[in-house]
């Protein structure tokens, strides 16, 4: 099978966001300061490793479909859907929110292209499913650092009595 221009465009969008995600994850990793520094420092490496691996999987899938991936820094900078990470040092609290946002931005790109990818190549769509599942798990885990329990979340989880006890 050879990828159509649409499939190539969609996978390229995923690729650049994943490359940008791992670059921004390293930027955060190098420049965080504050409470829970070590835990977040290590957690950022998990995010970076996942994003780097998913980017490689995407590029290799593109090659298997005879599409040409473009991971050059100028292409990533010009076409990423992720907001630019703040310059300089950043508190762990702020970094958590910034990284969580970028995770959800990358997930958003994958979800945006998913249906078109699935129409042309269900095998590639399966790959994207795995990316979404892991990135959402990582977003939940890192965002939990700044979250507090919520009555609304407990009640909406199917336990209406949970909200009444709080």
């Amino acid at each position: 099978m050879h990828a159509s221009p649409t499939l190539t465009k969609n996978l390229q969008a995923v690729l650049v966001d994943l490359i940008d995600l791992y670059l921004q994850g390293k930027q955060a990793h190098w420049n965080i300061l504050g409470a829970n520094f070590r835990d977040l420092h290590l957690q950022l490496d998990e995010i970076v490793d996942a994003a780097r691996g998913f980017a490689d999987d995407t590029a290799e899938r593109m090659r298997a479909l005879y599409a040409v991936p473009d991971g050059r820094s100028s292409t990533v900078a010009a076409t990423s859907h992720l907001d630019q990470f703040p310059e300089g040092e950043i508190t762990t609290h702020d970094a958590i929110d910034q990284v969580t946002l970028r995770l959800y931005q990358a997930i958003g790109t994958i979800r945006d292209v998913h249906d078109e990818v699935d129409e042309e190549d269900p095998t590639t769509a399966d790959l994207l499913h795995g990316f979404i599942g892991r990135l959402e798990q990582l977003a939940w885990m890192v965002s939990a650092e700044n979250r507090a329990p919520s009555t609304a979340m407990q009640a909406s989880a199917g336990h209406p009595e949970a909200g009444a006890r709080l």
Side-chain angles (χ1 to χ4, degrees), residues 4 23-24 37 39 44 51 68 72 83 91 99-100 131 138 144 163:
S4 71
L23 291 171
Q24 290 197 41
F37 164 83
D39 290 338
L44 288 167
V68 179
R72 296 173 298 159
D83 292 348
T91 66
V99 169
T100 300
F131 298 172
L138 290 166

Side-chain angles (χ1 to χ4, degrees), residues 21 24 28 32 40 43-44 47 82-86 90-105 138-148:
L21 181 61
Q24 290 197 41
I32 57 170
L40 182 58
Q43 193 171 30
L44 288 167
I47 293 166
L82 278 57
D83 292 348
Q84 185 175 17
F85 200 81
I90 186 168
T91 66
T92 52
H93 182 274
D94 291 343
I96 288 164
D97 290 343
Q98 294 287 335
V99 169
T100 300
L101 172 64
R102 274 117 189 120
L103 281 161
Y104 281 118
Q105 288 173 331
L138 290 166
W140 158 64
M141 292 176 113
V142 74
S143 70
E145 296 281 344
N146 282 353
R147 293 191 57 245

Side-chain angles (χ1 to χ4, degrees), residues 102-162:
R102 274 117 189 120
L103 281 161
Y104 281 118
Q105 288 173 331
I107 292 163
T109 297
I110 298 168
R111 287 187 176 280
D112 286 346
V113 305
H114 176 271
D115 289 349
E116 284 186 340
V117 170
D118 193 37
E119 284 178 26
E120 185 170 341
D121 185 24
T123 301
T124 301
D126 286 347
L127 193 66
L128 298 182
H129 288 150
F131 298 172
I132 291 168
R134 180 63 175 141
L135 292 174
E136 285 179 342
Q137 180 187 38
L138 290 166
W140 158 64
M141 292 176 113
V142 74
S143 70
E145 296 281 344
N146 282 353
R147 293 191 57 245
S150 155
T151 302
M153 287 184 66
Q154 292 172 349
S156 68
H159 304 287
E161 69 280 358

